[in-house]
Amino acid sequence: MWRIGIDLGGTKTEIAALDPAGAVRLRRRAPTPPAYAGVIALVGELVAAAETELGGAATIGIGIPGSLSPRTGLVRGANSTWLNGGRLDADLAARLGRPVRLANDANCLAMSEAADGAGAGHDTVFAVILGTGVGAGIVTGGRILEGRNRIAGEWGHNPLPWMTPEEYPGPACWCGRRGCIEAFLCGPALAAEADGPGARDASGLPARAAAGDARAAAALARHADRLARALAHVVNILDPDCIVLAGGLSNMAHLRDEVPARMAGFVFSDHVETPLVPALHGDSSGVLGAARLWD
């Protein structure tokens, strides 16, 4: 049977279809409407067009920013705030005329990379999104680990560990707290570290550092050190077999070169062998993992 995955991002929505063998047969992208009713309509239109092109019905899996509350069934914790408070699974099921499965977008990333990506062959995979936001998902034994409260992997909204006096209490986070890992490690935070408040784009910092820009080099070094501390905390608790880096900042090669060595001083072990690898499927990992939610 065809499997359709949808990655519901804050600015773009991607749809992909897998055939029974797991090969990608269709992929499309569209702007995400910044309104709840618009999202429902867009998903309906994308699925209808895809199934017409495929010539058959499909299961539907959807990755969302945030998660469904196990108590109320409503979306919570989404930085696409127009989704919060909606009964998204029920509303999409009504629109599509069939059950749908929803999961956090980072969980979908982890599922994809553990199945046939950079984490394939490993039992426990911790997959990190480093981008405009920061999050993570966990797959163990081929299954997403959601936890009792369905928040397993919400690494970005823990405080940065081993803060220095200069870092404490940390920047304000959109969640209402200060010092969250996301507030230190997201792309806008890295840009501001180099260029001051209001800077948002960190993509040019590696090239600037290589050209001798001391301010860019210092910002990248502090960011790598903070990422190492944050991941060392994960290793001390979960000890995953593999850590996968995804999101826009994961393209910065110095992270894979520097972070493992920096982690070693914070991991409670005499040696650290945890591989830190880039996502094989890149920014399509989320949509491919969403398609696998019915596996």
Side-chain angles (χ1 to χ4, degrees):
M1 189 173 186
W2 293 103
R3 292 168 290 172
I4 283 178
I6 295 172
D7 184 13
L8 193 58
T11 58
K12 66 172 177 62
T13 294
E14 183 173 10
I15 184 171
L18 305 183
D19 67 16
V24 179
R25 297 301 185 189
L26 176 149
R27 185 176 292 162
R28 302 280 185 275
R29 288 184 176 183
T32 302
Y36 188 83
V39 167
I40 301 297
L42 174 64
V43 170
E45 292 162 6
L46 289 173
V47 170
E51 291 184 330
T52 297
E53 186 171 337
L54 296 171
T59 58
I60 310 294
I62 301 175
I64 66 169
S67 60
L68 297 180
S69 167
R71 175 172 294 181
T72 66
L74 305 180
V75 177
R76 57 164 182 196
N79 52 12
S80 301
T81 54
W82 52 90
L83 298 177
N84 289 326
R87 194 171 293 277
L88 191 59
D89 55 346
D91 291 338
L92 286 172
R95 177 66 173 80
L96 298 171
R98 78 201 78 169
V100 299
R101 289 187 178 175
L102 270 62
N104 176 264
D105 51 5
N107 287 346
C108 293
L109 158 71
M111 173 65 88
S112 175
E113 292 296 326
D116 60 0
H122 294 287
D123 185 68
T124 301
V125 176
F126 188 78
V128 172
I129 296 175
L130 290 176
T132 305
V134 172
I138 304 166
V139 166
T140 184
R143 293 180 176 272
I144 293 172
L145 178 64
E146 289 191 310
R148 180 163 184 157
N149 301 296
R150 297 185 188 170
I151 56 166
E154 282 292 359
W155 167 72
H157 293 286
N158 289 286
L160 180 72
W162 300 289
M163 273 194 210
T164 66
E166 295 76 21
E167 290 169 337
Y168 187 81
C173 182
W174 68 268
C175 74
R177 295 180 175 84
R178 300 189 70 91
C180 288
I181 288 170
E182 176 169 306
F184 277 107
L185 295 183
C186 68
L190 174 55
E193 186 79 21
D195 297 322
R200 302 275 304 169
D201 185 3
S203 61
L205 294 182
R208 285 169 49 188
D213 185 327
R215 189 169 60 182
L220 291 173
R222 286 191 293 270
H223 184 264
D225 181 72
R226 290 164 179 164
L227 178 58
R229 281 181 269 156
L231 290 178
H233 215 211
V234 172
V235 174
N236 284 339
I237 295 170
L238 183 64
D239 200 9
D241 297 300
C242 178
I243 297 175
V244 178
L245 290 185
L249 297 188
S250 70
N251 296 319
M252 297 182 176
H254 75 284
L255 293 179
R256 299 188 295 276
D257 297 335
E258 295 181 20
V259 169
R262 291 175 180 267
M263 283 172 55
F266 297 97
V267 174
F268 191 63
S269 174
D270 59 344
H271 68 287
V272 183
E273 298 178 349
T274 313
L276 186 66
V277 295
L280 181 64
H281 298 303
D283 64 359
S284 289
S285 282
V287 73
L288 299 179
R292 292 182 176 277
L293 293 177
W294 285 88
D295 285 4

